[in-house]
Structures are given as C-alpha cells and as structure tokens.
Amino acid sequence: ELYHDNHSFRTIHHPEGVRPYLSSDRLVLVTSAYHMPRSLWMFRDAGYDPIPCPAELYYDYKVGWADFLPGLFHMRALEAAWSEYLKLFQYTFERHM
C-alpha cells in the first residue's frame, strides 16, 4: 500500500502523520537522497524500521571545465546541503532539550 503524507509540514511530524495508516513499523521510506539521512533518523527515533529508497539522485558523467564554475544548479545544491546540515543540527539540539 502506498501512502503520501501531505499533511505534515516538517520532517519531524511525518512519523506520527503516517502512523494511523500503517499496520507495521516496517515501511519503505521514499524521499530525496540528500534528505534521507535526516528522515531515517527521525523515523527510527519514532520506533519505525524504515527501508531507505532514495529518489532524485543527480548524476552527471560529463565533467568538463565548466563544471568548476559557479552555476545555478550548484548554488541550489549548496543551499540544500546547508539546509540539511542546519536541520540536522536543530534536530540534534531539540532531542537533548
């Protein structure tokens, strides 16, 4: 059975948002590859046994000199990475409060 949680607005709320729809703690967790570590952590903390299934993997096998110049794609990737690190830090801090 497939369930898409569109009611939770923060990752920390997703584990409890899907609980009413599950008959087991074992589930396949599908999310962006860069977002997977934080999602796994939160689902495991909530008592689930998630199977990770990362999506939105970015591969570019044609590396050239232009790849080392700043670009919009790279800026968005950097923004996503910083956002994830800051949210991981926030979650770690909130867990110990």
Side-chain angles (χ1 to χ4, degrees):
E1 188 172 332
L2 179 65
Y3 177 73
H4 176 261
D5 179 18
N6 57 359
H7 300 292
S8 302
F9 294 103
R10 291 186 61 211
T11 305
I12 197 166
H13 299 136
H14 285 286
E16 294 309 316
V18 299
R19 191 170 301 280
Y21 303 98
L22 301 174
S23 58
S24 168
D25 288 335
R26 188 86 166 142
L27 60 98
V28 176
L29 182 61
V30 180
T31 190
S32 300
Y34 70 85
H35 186 249
M36 185 61 73
R38 186 163 51 101
S39 296
L40 281 172
W41 191 5
M42 291 181 183
F43 272 84
R44 287 178 179 146
D45 278 356
Y48 289 99
D49 185 18
I51 302 167
C53 183
E56 294 185 87
L57 300 171
Y58 297 107
Y59 292 102
D60 188 353
Y61 294 104
K62 298 177 184 177
V63 177
W65 64 270
D67 292 318
F68 297 96
L69 299 175
L72 187 57
F73 173 80
H74 298 104
M75 295 301 288
R76 286 186 179 149
L78 180 62
E79 177 187 10
W82 272 109
S83 175
E84 284 301 308
Y85 283 122
L86 289 173
K87 289 172 184 172
L88 277 168
F89 175 77
Q90 176 186 6
Y91 182 63
T92 302
F93 181 76
E94 288 175 357
R95 281 180 68 204
H96 297 290
M97 294 305 290

